Amino acid sequence: MEKILDRLQGLGVLALNVFGRLGRGSLFLFHTLVIMPQLWRRPGLVVRQIYSVGVLTLLIILVSGLFVGMVLGLQGYTTLVDFGAQESLGVVVSLSLVRELGPVVTALLFAGRAGSALTAEIGLMKATEQLSGMEMMAVDPYRQVFAPRFLAGFIAMPILAAIFSAVGVIGGYVVGVDMLGVDFGAFWSQMQAKVDFHEDVMNGVVKSLVFGLVCVWIALYEGYDATPTADGVSRATTRTVVHSSLAVLGLDFVLTALMFGDL
Amino acid sequence: MKQTRYMEISVGLFVAAGMIALFFLAMKVSNLTSISSDAGYTVTAYFENIGGLKVRSPVTVSGVLVGRVSAIDYDPARFEARVSMEIESRYDNLPDDTAASIFTAGLLGEQYIGLEPGASETNLKEGSELKLTQSALVLEQIIGQFLFSKAQEGAK
């Protein structure tokens, strides 16, 4: 009897913890968004953060975009050539990149490269009491620390996703046209006939905006909510990567169903 | 100071690269260039069977793309499919007895509407209806007709 009561109590504590975190996370997001307009007077803060979450992530995005495009070209070709439809390779490569792989893989890489760094940075700030120090000096950490990082991630993600897709299409082109001998004109013209700017490209951009928001939110909040010890920061960093990846993959299904579900 | 400047320049390059990538996606990958900005005019045609025709399928004259299918719906009064197509306004000299047929590009390709201009003096305008139409060829029907005629030959 004791044991069952203990279990039930444990379950209750777990549920309370989950809802507590969700509530604190929402308040955190709300607070950051409210303070956001004040950033107009301090653009330098945002530029520095775009550098660290965007520019420094560029290399991994370029390399993985190129390789993902090349793999798509290779795999698409081996499947399509059986049907004599290798001219559609451009469509296969560009649609899968622009609609799905561009935003999703970029967000996963972003969570691993930039999200974890953000969490560790903020967790360490909290552990060394820099955040309370700021508050002590009447500097709002939301304005000084969280909002610039938030905005930077929100700006950087669609840019990175667009670069990923563009580089991936070039990778698919290199493999398909230069190496496997798909016709140059058909590759581009079929692609242009099938890919719609508003339906496909813009929806990809919307997706990456949503992923950017979610990834930065999770990363910043995990850092903010971390237990201020070495162990706590390391666990918060792990949670950031895991939760961001799960959130991105889950949201991707929902967004795809909303955007392309009727096709 | 130098550090900040380097940072600003690299962020600028980063944003520019993103814009170039989006521009590339818009111009080279998607069909933004082939959409004419002017709205054009819409004509309708009734088909018994549209086969695999879809919204945004091409509309051609002599093989040249002049417009796209803008809407497809079923007319319950005529028991036929009503296809609206938007034709670019620079092709405004099509006679009003133009015939519309649904063709297939290649053996397994997508279906499109081919227009054959007639000899009328008056031209098509917004809201005109194409009276002469030819439905899509459905492979099963052709095979069925073929088998039927073969069977009749055998009976003689």
Side-chain angles (χ1 to χ4, degrees):
Chain A
M1 195 62 204
E2 280 282 288
K3 262 187 184 167
I4 297 175
L5 277 180
D6 275 356
R7 286 273 163 80
L8 279 177
Q9 203 178 17
L11 204 65
V13 169
L14 192 73
L16 286 180
N17 276 341
V18 167
F19 287 118
R21 283 166 54 80
L22 195 62
R24 282 202 303 278
S26 309
L27 284 176
F28 175 81
L29 178 68
F30 181 69
H31 203 151
T32 314
L33 290 179
V34 164
I35 217 86
M36 201 79 91
Q38 295 191 14
L39 282 177
W40 282 117
R41 282 180 285 159
R42 307 289 304 276
L45 285 175
V46 185
V47 168
R48 190 173 309 154
Q49 293 310 320
I50 293 182
Y51 177 79
S52 73
V53 298
V55 178
L56 295 181
T57 318
L58 194 56
L59 189 65
I60 188 174
I61 292 292
L62 285 175
V63 174
S64 39
L66 191 69
F67 281 114
V68 166
M70 286 165 86
V71 168
L72 275 178
L74 203 59
Q75 282 297 345
Y77 182 82
T78 46
T79 313
L80 290 171
V81 79
D82 288 346
F83 305 102
Q86 63 269 41
E87 265 72 35
S88 306
L89 187 66
V91 184
V92 173
V93 171
S94 57
L95 269 190
S96 27
L97 275 170
V98 166
R99 280 186 176 185
E100 297 293 337
L101 288 173
V104 171
V105 178
T106 306
L108 294 179
L109 291 171
F110 184 89
R113 163 66 188 71
S116 57
L118 282 177
T119 307
E121 188 188 8
I122 294 191
L124 208 63
M125 275 186 177
K126 192 183 175 191
T128 51
E129 299 190 336
Q130 291 181 44
L131 293 181
S132 9
M134 276 184 186
E135 271 169 6
M136 212 71 89
M137 293 187 293
V139 176
D140 187 356
Y142 281 95
R143 198 190 63 205
Q144 198 71 18
V145 177
F146 299 128
R149 283 166 175 75
F150 201 90
L151 191 61
F154 197 60
I155 293 172
M157 185 72 94
I159 296 178
L160 290 170
I163 293 175
F164 186 97
S165 299
V167 171
V169 169
I170 293 170
Y173 172 83
V174 168
V175 168
V177 176
D178 290 346
M179 288 156 84
L180 295 170
V182 175
D183 182 59
F184 161 83
F187 185 87
W188 292 116
S189 66
Q190 292 243 357
M191 194 190 290
Q192 283 165 8
K194 285 283 164 61
V195 181
D196 188 81
F197 182 72
H198 299 283
E199 280 283 314
D200 298 318
V201 179
M202 283 330 264
N203 276 350
V205 172
V206 171
K207 265 189 183 181
S208 57
L209 280 173
V210 174
F211 294 162
L213 185 106
V214 170
C215 281
V216 199
W217 178 25
I218 292 178
L220 289 181
Y221 176 67
E222 288 293 354
Y224 173 73
D225 202 44
T227 321
T229 57
D231 182 48
V233 173
S234 99
R235 248 186 287 165
T237 314
T238 313
R239 266 208 307 270
T240 297
V241 177
V242 173
H243 288 184
S244 309
S245 309
L246 288 177
V248 164
L249 294 171
L251 268 178
D252 181 51
F253 175 75
V254 176
L255 288 175
T256 305
L258 281 177
M259 289 167 173
F260 309 115
D262 55 335
L263 290 180
Chain B
M1 190 62 212
K2 204 172 176 191
Q3 180 93 41
T4 322
R5 189 157 169 70
Y6 166 71
M7 215 173 259
E8 279 169 356
I9 291 171
S10 53
V11 168
L13 284 175
F14 171 67
V15 174
M19 282 173 179
I20 291 169
L22 201 61
F23 186 75
F24 170 79
L25 290 177
M27 290 302 156
K28 196 79 185 168
V29 176
S30 76
N31 57 359
L32 196 63
T33 41
S34 58
I35 298 173
S36 54
S37 49
D38 59 318
Y41 60 99
T42 308
V43 296
T44 55
Y46 288 86
F47 293 94
E48 270 177 29
N49 191 334
I50 58 162
L53 198 72
K54 292 185 181 66
V55 173
R56 295 196 49 75
S57 289
V59 177
T60 63
V61 176
S62 320
V64 179
L65 183 75
V66 296
R68 288 190 182 273
V69 172
S70 56
I72 297 175
D73 39 11
Y74 177 68
D75 188 338
R78 292 177 61 154
F79 302 112
E80 281 182 328
R82 181 177 53 230
V83 174
S84 311
M85 43 202 134
E86 199 171 300
I87 297 175
E88 287 177 38
S89 51
R90 59 187 161 131
Y91 302 108
D92 59 351
N93 57 346
L94 291 168
D96 64 359
D97 58 347
T98 295
S101 326
I102 298 178
F103 296 125
T104 310
L107 197 56
L108 298 168
E110 59 173 348
Q111 295 194 297
Y112 64 96
I113 293 184
L115 299 179
E116 286 144 59
S120 169
E121 295 287 317
T122 48
N123 287 336
L124 285 175
K125 55 183 190 298
E126 171 73 34
S128 305
E129 189 198 322
L130 300 175
K131 295 282 195 296
L132 298 167
T133 63
Q134 191 197 332
S135 291
L137 287 177
V138 179
L139 206 56
E140 285 88 338
Q141 283 178 356
I142 300 171
I143 294 173
Q145 278 171 359
F146 176 73
L147 289 178
F148 186 67
S149 65
K150 274 287 174 197
Q152 275 194 328
E153 268 177 35
K156 272 177 197 168

